[in-house]
């Protein structure tokens, strides 16, 4: 009878591109538990005392690392790697930024901006956005990936069929994620920890925060996935939906432009309701609001809405 082992992977065991030729940082058995120590999405370039000037000097060649890869014994193409997210270890601080050229409304917000957040390291209490909103923390990792079969190096920024930078806010502790294995050993990596994010991450950043994460890795033989899937074991919105939502809409033949219109509407709404500047409203949309496709079949026009939970303003 074999027993699951526990492994620790240090943040320095990271890579800034996906490539199936990267040597494994560790080899584990199915059922083993792996703790990834404090992961930082900007490799230490920002701190709790940073100012907006530090956004202007970010080295983007040293951003969005993934920690790993982890070779899982017995993983073969056609299997699924099951990642059970167990827990997170918070650092107590995080950041949200407007980065020039990045985000859904990048052309309308050309200047850098930065908000530094402070939170209880237990991750149990909301964090405050100025004096206006209290944001519940639901930590997750934006990057979960196995390597593609295709040779070469690939950016860690866009997601792919094998996972990657999916920025899916529901992949919290207690969730099981399944990724399609394309290479022997799967070669799993993780990164981009967030304290909280809205669906869409519309300004391009969430509450980015250095954090540790612990996961259990297992195999589903012959799953034959084409794309990732995940299973939640509890509701995904109950933490904020008790008081309902303010929602704004965008309607038109282009989903991206309809999304932009919905976010523009919420930025205007938050200014009217809470006196927020456009910059602050845009950042708050990214960390606390949800962009949803409501209708995609009544062509030529589609409906997208942006939902902001009213409870965060209580």
């Amino acid at each position: 009878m074999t027993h699951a082992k526990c492994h620790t992977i240090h943040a320095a065991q990271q890579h800034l591109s996906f490539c199936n030729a990267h040597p494994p940082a560790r080899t584990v058995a199915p059922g083993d538990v792996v703790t990834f120590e404090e992961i930082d999405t900007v490799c230490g370039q920002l701190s709790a005392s940073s100012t907006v000037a530090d956004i202007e000097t970010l080295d983007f060649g040293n951003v969005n690392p993934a920690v790993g890869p982890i070779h899982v014994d017995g993983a073969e193409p056609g299997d699924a790697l099951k990642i059970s997210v167990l827990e997170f270890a918070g650092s107590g601080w995080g950041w949200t930024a407007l980065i020039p050229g990045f985000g859904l409304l990048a052309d309308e917000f050309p200047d850098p901006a930065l908000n530094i957040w402070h939170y209880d390291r237990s991750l149990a209490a909301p964090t405050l956005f100025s004096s206006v909103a209290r944001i519940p923390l639901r930590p997750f990792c934006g990057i979960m990936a196995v390597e593609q079969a295709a040779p070469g190096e690939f950016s860690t920024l866009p997601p792919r069929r094998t996972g990657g930078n999916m920025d899916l806010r529901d992949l919290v502790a207690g969730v099981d994620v399944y990724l399609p294995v394309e290479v022997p050993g799967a070669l799993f990596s993780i990164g981009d920890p967030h304290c909280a994010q809205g669906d869409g991450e519309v300004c391009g950043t969430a509450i980015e925060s250095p954090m540790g994460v612990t996961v259990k890795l297992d195999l589903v033989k012959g799953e034959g996935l084409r794309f990732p899937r995940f299973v939640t074991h509890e509701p995904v919105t109950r933490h904020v939906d008790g008081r309902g939502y303010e929602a704004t809409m965008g309607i038109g033949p282009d989903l991206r432009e309809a999304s932009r219109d919905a976010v523009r509407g919420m930025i205007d709404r938050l200014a009217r309701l809470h006196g927020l500047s456009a910059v602050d409203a845009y950042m708050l949309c990214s960390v606390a609001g949800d962009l949803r496709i409501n209708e995609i079949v009544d062509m030529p026009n589609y409906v997208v809405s942006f939902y902001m939970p009213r409870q965060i303003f209580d």
Side-chain angles (χ1 to χ4, degrees):
M1 180 177 179
T2 59
H3 297 278
K5 294 182 178 180
C6 297
H7 308 264
T8 298
I9 307 298
H10 300 285
Q13 296 173 289
Q14 65 185 25
H15 48 94
L16 289 159
S17 64
F18 290 117
C19 176
N20 61 32
H22 285 151
R26 188 71 54 86
T27 295
V28 306
D32 281 1
V33 172
V34 184
T35 293
F36 297 85
E37 292 197 332
E38 193 170 285
I39 307 167
D40 187 345
T41 196
V42 290
C43 299
Q45 296 184 78
L46 297 178
S47 72
S49 60
S50 284
T51 68
V52 69
D54 295 310
I55 299 299
E56 298 173 324
T57 59
L58 275 179
D59 175 6
F60 288 96
N62 210 25
V63 166
N64 224 39
V67 180
I70 306 300
H71 182 284
V72 181
D73 275 342
E76 295 292 339
D79 297 341
L81 182 69
K82 178 184 178 183
I83 304 102
S84 298
V85 185
L86 301 182
E87 63 180 356
F88 290 86
S91 63
W93 75 279
W95 58 275
T96 302
L98 300 189
I99 298 172
F102 193 52
L104 187 63
L105 300 178
D107 54 326
E108 299 174 22
F109 291 86
D111 298 323
L114 178 68
N115 186 76
I116 297 292
W117 307 78
H118 299 277
Y119 63 86
D120 188 320
R121 291 172 69 101
S122 72
L123 298 161
T127 186
L128 189 66
F129 185 81
S130 65
S131 60
V132 174
R134 293 170 60 83
I135 311 302
L137 303 184
R138 294 185 77 234
F140 72 99
C141 280
I143 293 177
M144 291 190 197
V146 292
E147 291 291 353
Q148 301 178 94
E153 296 198 13
F154 301 87
S155 169
T156 58
L157 188 61
R160 298 178 176 85
R161 66 178 181 272
T162 50
N165 194 27
M166 298 179 287
D167 284 325
L168 208 165
R169 67 116 191 237
D170 293 325
L171 304 186
V172 296
V175 167
D176 299 319
V177 184
Y178 298 80
L179 300 178
V181 174
E182 291 195 356
V183 299
L187 298 179
F188 171 73
S189 299
I190 194 167
D192 192 24
H194 300 157
C195 277
Q197 180 199 288
D199 277 337
E201 197 185 21
V202 293
C203 86
T205 58
I207 301 182
E208 315 284 335
S209 177
M211 279 193 287
V213 59
T214 300
V215 303
K216 179 182 177 183
L217 300 178
D218 218 328
L219 293 176
V220 181
K221 300 298 291 182
E223 174 82 356
L225 287 181
R226 295 180 59 243
F227 293 94
R229 66 178 179 88
F230 64 98
V231 176
T232 76
H233 300 279
E234 60 182 25
V236 297
T237 61
R238 186 175 292 170
H239 68 299
V240 292
D241 66 1
R243 291 253 292 114
Y245 296 86
E246 290 282 342
T248 52
M249 301 171 71
I251 300 174
D254 183 285
L255 277 175
R256 185 173 178 84
E257 195 56 41
S259 299
R260 284 161 56 90
D261 285 338
V263 174
R264 290 183 185 112
M266 186 55 67
I267 290 171
D268 291 344
R269 185 70 179 149
L270 292 175
R272 288 189 176 92
L273 288 176
H274 303 289
L276 289 173
S277 69
V279 166
D280 282 350
Y282 186 31
M283 287 194 286
L284 185 58
C285 284
S286 197
V287 302
D290 296 328
L291 192 63
R292 303 179 188 171
I293 297 172
N294 302 120
E295 180 277 304
I296 201 168
V297 297
D298 296 330
M299 297 178 289
N301 291 334
Y302 312 116
V303 179
V304 179
S305 294
F306 194 87
Y307 295 72
M308 182 64 71
R310 298 172 64 205
Q311 182 174 313
I312 68 172
F313 300 105
D314 289 347

